[in-house]
Amino acid sequence: MKGYMTRWKKREEPGQTHIMDYWFDHRIEKAAYWRTKEEAEADCVLFNNLPISIPSSQGGIHVCKGWQVEERALGEYVVFCEAPFILTKTGEAEVSQKTPTGYKTTMDSFNPVAIRLLQHEVHAPDHTNWGTVTCDSCFEQFAFGPNRIYGVRGIKTADDYAKILEAILSNDHKRGQDHQNAYDLGE
């Protein structure tokens, strides 16, 4: 899938100022643009040399390469790459330059769980992935799903658990708290 770069920003949190976040959209009209083809091509070279990684729709992490320029309108050049993007509700996908380094903790739960994408503190290898939920306030993304063996208890569906996670993320912002790297979505 084509992902047009829409914006980028250096993280401002202490200890993470070396990390850049990037946003993509599959719609060309949402893309950031350069005034000349030469400027856009020069930034494509830069992007090809950065480890811009995304959570892959095929599982794992994908490093974006093969950046190209496309003329959107007269004097408007956009850049894109083709990659296995996971689309959010808004059509946008946040990605980060952060390179994976391994996990410090394994989350063990019989319940469905949510794990923040593009962090390498916590993982849940015993759980399957139902999809991704994006926080409406800060655009952090979380993969969520049930335990591979135990599944779910009761009649709750993936949509029910997505709504539970959305409520948790919203409450974090209401309380002025940072999101955790993992959440247990149990009853």
Side-chain angles (χ1 to χ4, degrees):
M1 173 185 303
K2 247 187 207 183
Y4 294 97
M5 187 171 291
T6 61
R7 60 189 171 111
W8 53 93
K9 181 180 176 188
K10 183 181 276 193
R11 288 204 184 159
E12 297 173 2
E13 298 104 44
Q16 295 189 357
T17 56
H18 64 285
I19 299 173
M20 291 288 290
D21 290 314
Y22 298 88
W23 288 262
F24 293 87
D25 201 294
H26 69 282
R27 298 165 291 193
I28 193 170
E29 65 271 12
K30 299 286 185 181
Y33 67 91
W34 287 251
R35 295 265 180 217
T36 68
K37 186 175 183 180
E38 292 76 21
E39 289 173 340
E41 288 173 339
D43 280 349
C44 282
V45 171
L46 173 68
F47 296 145
N48 274 321
N49 289 309
L50 293 173
I52 300 174
S53 58
I54 64 168
S56 171
S57 62
Q58 300 166 347
I61 300 293
H62 174 84
V63 177
C64 296
K65 296 290 181 191
W67 290 90
Q68 299 177 52
V69 175
E70 187 174 322
E71 187 174 19
R72 175 173 67 185
L74 186 61
E76 292 184 5
Y77 297 90
V78 299
V79 300
F80 70 92
C81 71
E82 293 184 7
F85 290 101
I86 299 172
L87 289 181
T88 65
K89 292 178 197 171
T90 63
E92 209 174 47
E94 181 180 345
V95 297
S96 171
Q97 181 179 326
K98 185 174 181 179
T99 303
T101 58
Y103 297 100
K104 295 180 181 177
T105 306
T106 298
M107 184 168 190
D108 295 317
S109 176
F110 295 127
N111 299 316
V113 300
I115 304 293
R116 184 195 315 233
L117 296 180
L118 300 175
Q119 58 79 33
H120 293 278
E121 298 286 322
V122 181
H123 72 143
D126 294 336
H127 288 72
T128 190
N129 187 353
W130 268 342
T132 305
V133 169
T134 302
C135 177
D136 290 333
S137 298
C138 67
F139 305 108
E140 287 279 353
Q141 291 186 308
F142 292 79
F144 72 101
N147 186 292
R148 293 180 196 276
I149 296 171
Y150 297 102
V152 297
R153 287 177 262 150
I155 59 170
K156 288 185 181 166
T157 66
D159 287 337
D160 295 328
Y161 284 104
K163 289 176 185 167
I164 290 168
L165 178 56
E166 287 169 352
I168 290 169
L169 299 176
S170 176
N171 286 334
D172 282 350
H173 286 282
K174 287 177 185 171
R175 290 190 298 260
Q177 296 176 338
D178 291 335
H179 294 310
Q180 298 175 30
N181 285 329
Y183 295 96
D184 189 310
L185 303 177
E187 286 104 58

